[in-house]
Amino acid sequence: MRPVRTAARAMLGSIFVLDGVRTLAQPEKRAEAARPLADRARPFLERADPRLPTDPVTLVRVKAVADVLAGLALATGRFTRPAAAVLATGLVAHTLSDRDNRDQVLRDLGLLGGLLLAAADTEGRPGLRYRTSHAVQRSRRTARRALRTAKREARIATLSAATARKLPG
């Protein structure tokens, strides 16, 4: 299954890398489509931090850089789950700004499905919740075992001391 995961992630990540590079080369085209969404987000950005950029061209460039970096991470198999989550978040914003084109929205929904699968994929290894709960159970078993051993050793020591007192000499 590993070669399939590797190939799928490389194909999925390459879409975002190429799209991000194209956007960085010509951000104005995407900025016009993103303007309504950027205008709605402006008050939230200004409230969060007045130093954050609010113009659509800069926001589109920031998203493009995030797409390139996260796409490369996904394609190379590094930080795949966080990279897929970043790409999915950016894809939702992209879909909202491009909702008039039905074919593009359907393409984006398909990509979003693939990103959600990549974000949830643990590569056959147990997830964090499973590992945490089992680590707690192992710790409890180890503590109980150590307590039983300590009680047994204490009984043996008590019996040894009692026996030693009975010995002559």
Side-chain angles (χ1 to χ4, degrees), residues 79-145:
F79 304 108
T80 55
R81 294 178 76 188
V86 167
L87 291 171
T89 304
L91 189 60
V92 169
H94 180 264
T95 303
L96 289 175
S97 69
D98 214 9
R99 63 179 177 231
D100 295 333
N101 185 350
R102 189 179 81 182
D103 292 336
Q104 184 67 32
V105 169
L106 290 174
R107 173 186 172 260
D108 289 350
L109 288 175
L111 288 172
L112 183 61
L115 289 171
L116 291 176
L117 284 173
D121 183 27
T122 60
E123 297 185 16
R125 293 187 301 252
L128 185 60
R129 191 168 102 195
Y130 176 89
R131 289 184 293 184
T132 304
S133 67
H134 280 72
V136 168
Q137 290 172 0
R138 277 193 308 274
S139 296
R140 287 180 182 158
R141 276 196 307 267
T142 303
R144 283 194 300 265
R145 196 174 299 128

Side-chain angles (χ1 to χ4, degrees), residues 45-46 49-53:
L45 292 172
E46 288 173 348
D49 189 352
R51 296 174 293 174
L52 288 175

Side-chain angles (χ1 to χ4, degrees), residues 22-35 56-57 60-61:
R22 283 187 197 129
T23 301
L24 284 172
Q26 297 176 345
E28 295 80 18
K29 180 180 167 187
R30 287 278 171 89
E32 287 307 314
R35 186 171 302 284
V57 174
V60 165
R61 283 185 178 144

